């Protein structure tokens, strides 16, 4: 149900005095008129939301903006209002941008192979919240692992540029915040995050409408797929490890999409006693069978260290990697590393 709004939109821009946006970053953004905004491939709500939010911000400032993502945005965010189409092929760029802004990408490789050449040719701004980001921005870097979402950083950036968090910009920021904080429930949620959420509401954000668009959009196929994943889930290591394996063909069996498995790892974490949740998805890359690994934990249990052993990364309680082995073999190889998490 849509409640009537009780508070008038403020119009004026409130800022959070506890957060400082680097001046070098603002200067780099101001000095370029054609900006390509890129985020990590297979984007989540934070990568997609932060991209859209920065795009709206720069468009409001009169700049030419193009969003780029090697794998495109997921179907479940198809309703998100975007400041430009999402380009997937760099060779189709309608001219060279003056600046590339990389978002939510702990390293440059996560942006995908297609954009690597361009990153060497034009100035790059890197805005990210992953620990260990190597500051690959040639023009400016803003890395803050204490930020729960890159989208929160973009919200502060928009406010530093005196834009109120309203309309499509506010929606995009909100999608980013809820995606990376588990709707303000994970330990990464900060007072500044909740204050920003309050400003979004003051700006007129329709949170119930967004919640319905985010949550109440499952296909029957996704429901059946999750049913199968729940019945097949393995509980290992004396109940401390929850595992689900997904073959490439499984989603098809249920008329589901590959992306429908996204988020299932959170279900495994819900099991009492499970300290590490592990989702292993079979993928094909360059003709080889590989495994996309998603890891989740809680509190002090650090799964980023496990992902890092396999060339991946992420955050303490949410991390991922791609392993050059099929899922069953990946499980055998990764399980000893996972045991270090609780030992
Ligand atoms: P997810 O399991 O949702 O794919 O990813 C969880 C977290 O780990 C996200 O913050 C994501 O950015 C990070 N992550 C996932 N896969 C990789 C990877 O292959 N490399 C790095 N560096 N980080 C990853
Ligand atoms: Mn993120």
């Amino acid at each position: 149900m849509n409640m009537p709004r009780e508070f008038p939109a403020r119009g004026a821009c409130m800022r959070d005095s506890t957060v400082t946006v680097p001046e070098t970053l603002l200067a780099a953004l101001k000095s370029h008129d054609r900006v390509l905004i890129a985020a990590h491939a297979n984007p989540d709500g934070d990568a997609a939301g932060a991209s859209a939010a920065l795009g709206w911000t720069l468009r409001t400032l009169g700049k030419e903006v193009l969003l780029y993502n090697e794998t495109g945005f997921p179907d479940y965010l198809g309703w998100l209002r975007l400041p430009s189409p999402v380009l997937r092929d760099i060779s189709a760029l309608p001219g060279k941008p003056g600046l590339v802004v990389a978002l939510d990408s702990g390293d440059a490789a996560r942006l995908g192979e297609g954009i690597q050449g361009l990153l060497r040719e034009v100035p790059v701004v890197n805005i990210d919240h992953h620990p260990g980001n190597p500051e690959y921005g040639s023009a400016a870097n803003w890395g803050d692992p204490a930020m729960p979402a890159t989208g929160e950083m973009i919200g502060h950036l928009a406010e530093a540029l005196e834009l109120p968090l309203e309309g499509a910009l506010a929606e995009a920021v909100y999608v980013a915040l809820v995606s990376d904080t588990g709707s303000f429930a994970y330990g990464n949620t900060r007072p500044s995050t909740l204050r920003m959420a309050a400003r979004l509401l003051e700006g007129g954000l329709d949170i119930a409408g967004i919640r319905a668009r985010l949550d109440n959009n499952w296909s029957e196929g996704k429901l059946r797929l999750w049913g199968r994943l729940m019945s097949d889930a393995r509980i290992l290591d004396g109940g401390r490890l929850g595992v689900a394996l997904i073959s490439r063909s499984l989603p098809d069996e249920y008329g589901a999409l590959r992306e429908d498995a996204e988020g299932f790892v959170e279900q495994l974490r819900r099991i009492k006693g499970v300290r590490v949740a592990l989702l292993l998805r079979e993928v094909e890359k360059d003709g080889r069978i590989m495994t996309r690994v998603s890891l989740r934990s809680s509190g002090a249990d650090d799964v980023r260290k496990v992902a890092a052993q396999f060339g991946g990364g992420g955050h303490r309680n949410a991390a991922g990697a791609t392993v050059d082995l099929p899922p069953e073999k990946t499980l055998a190889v990764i399980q000893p590393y996972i045991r270090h998490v609780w030992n």
Side-chain angles (χ1 to χ4, degrees):
M1 190 179 59
N2 247 335
M3 300 295 284
R5 229 198 295 144
E6 288 153 25
F7 26 72
R10 274 194 198 178
C13 176
M14 301 292 292
R15 287 171 64 175
D16 198 310
S17 60
T18 67
V19 177
T20 308
V21 182
E23 283 299 330
T24 50
L25 176 100
L26 296 172
L29 292 175
K30 283 176 186 163
S31 63
H32 293 281
D33 291 326
R34 306 188 67 225
V35 182
L36 185 76
I37 298 170
H40 66 77
N42 301 307
D44 55 7
D46 185 29
S51 298
L54 181 62
W56 288 116
T57 300
L58 297 181
R59 254 192 54 176
T60 309
L61 299 181
K63 298 184 185 297
E64 210 181 301
V65 169
L66 192 56
L67 302 188
Y68 171 79
N69 196 282
E70 189 166 80
T71 55
F73 285 5
D75 279 2
Y76 76 90
L77 292 177
W79 54 271
L80 193 64
R81 289 184 279 169
L82 301 178
S84 90
V86 181
L87 186 76
R88 294 181 58 171
D89 178 5
I90 285 290
S91 68
L93 259 181
K96 212 181 252 188
L99 183 74
V100 172
V101 183
L103 297 176
D104 201 36
S105 298
D107 55 53
R110 293 213 72 216
L111 298 165
E113 273 160 35
I115 198 173
Q116 298 303 320
L118 186 66
L119 295 180
R120 289 188 286 271
E121 288 170 30
V122 300
V124 175
V125 166
N126 158 28
I127 305 174
D128 181 42
H129 69 134
H130 290 92
N133 184 304
E135 308 223 317
Y136 54 89
S138 52
N141 293 281
W142 184 20
D144 188 350
M147 284 287 176
T150 303
E152 180 178 333
M153 302 169 82
I154 303 303
H156 293 302
L157 170 65
E159 291 177 316
L161 293 165
E162 318 231 305
L163 301 183
L165 300 181
E166 294 174 351
L169 165 60
E171 273 178 20
V173 169
Y174 188 75
V175 165
L177 296 184
V178 298
S179 170
D180 269 19
T181 63
S183 297
F184 311 108
Y186 300 156
N188 61 3
T189 308
R190 310 169 11 145
S192 66
T193 320
L194 294 171
R195 283 194 294 266
M196 182 171 287
R199 292 195 297 283
L200 295 173
L201 270 182
E202 283 165 345
L205 183 83
D206 173 16
I207 70 170
I210 293 181
R211 178 53 51 194
R213 272 171 272 164
L214 280 175
D215 283 359
N216 307 341
N217 64 356
W218 283 28
S219 63
E220 183 181 342
K222 177 168 177 176
L223 186 85
R224 306 284 171 215
L225 174 68
W226 279 44
R228 169 72 179 268
L229 292 174
M230 283 188 181
S231 16
D232 287 359
R234 303 181 198 175
I235 314 294
L236 308 175
D237 282 322
R240 281 173 290 204
L241 174 62
V243 185
L245 286 83
I246 307 179
S247 69
R248 271 179 310 152
S249 58
L250 191 69
D252 270 354
E253 276 180 43
Y254 295 91
L257 302 172
R258 297 259 171 88
E259 70 178 57
D260 285 339
E262 207 85 45
F264 186 77
V265 68
E266 308 291 350
Q267 300 305 312
L268 298 167
R269 178 159 58 171
R270 302 176 80 136
I271 303 160
K272 196 172 180 182
V274 162
R275 291 181 59 172
V276 174
L278 173 65
L279 181 71
L280 299 167
R281 276 180 285 173
E282 185 186 54
V283 292
E284 195 197 314
K285 209 176 158 193
D286 309 326
R288 298 175 62 87
I289 300 299
M290 302 192 188
T291 302
R292 274 291 308 152
V293 176
S294 281
L295 287 150
R296 297 292 185 272
S297 65
S298 303
D301 290 348
D302 187 354
V303 288
R304 190 172 77 93
K305 283 192 190 143
V306 178
Q309 292 288 338
F310 296 88
H315 310 277
R316 190 175 58 197
N317 297 146
T322 301
V323 176
D324 194 358
L325 291 170
E328 287 287 358
K329 288 201 170 121
T330 300
L331 175 58
V333 172
I334 205 170
Q335 211 174 344
Y337 290 94
I338 290 174
R339 291 183 185 125
H340 287 295
V341 170
W342 53 73
N343 281 336

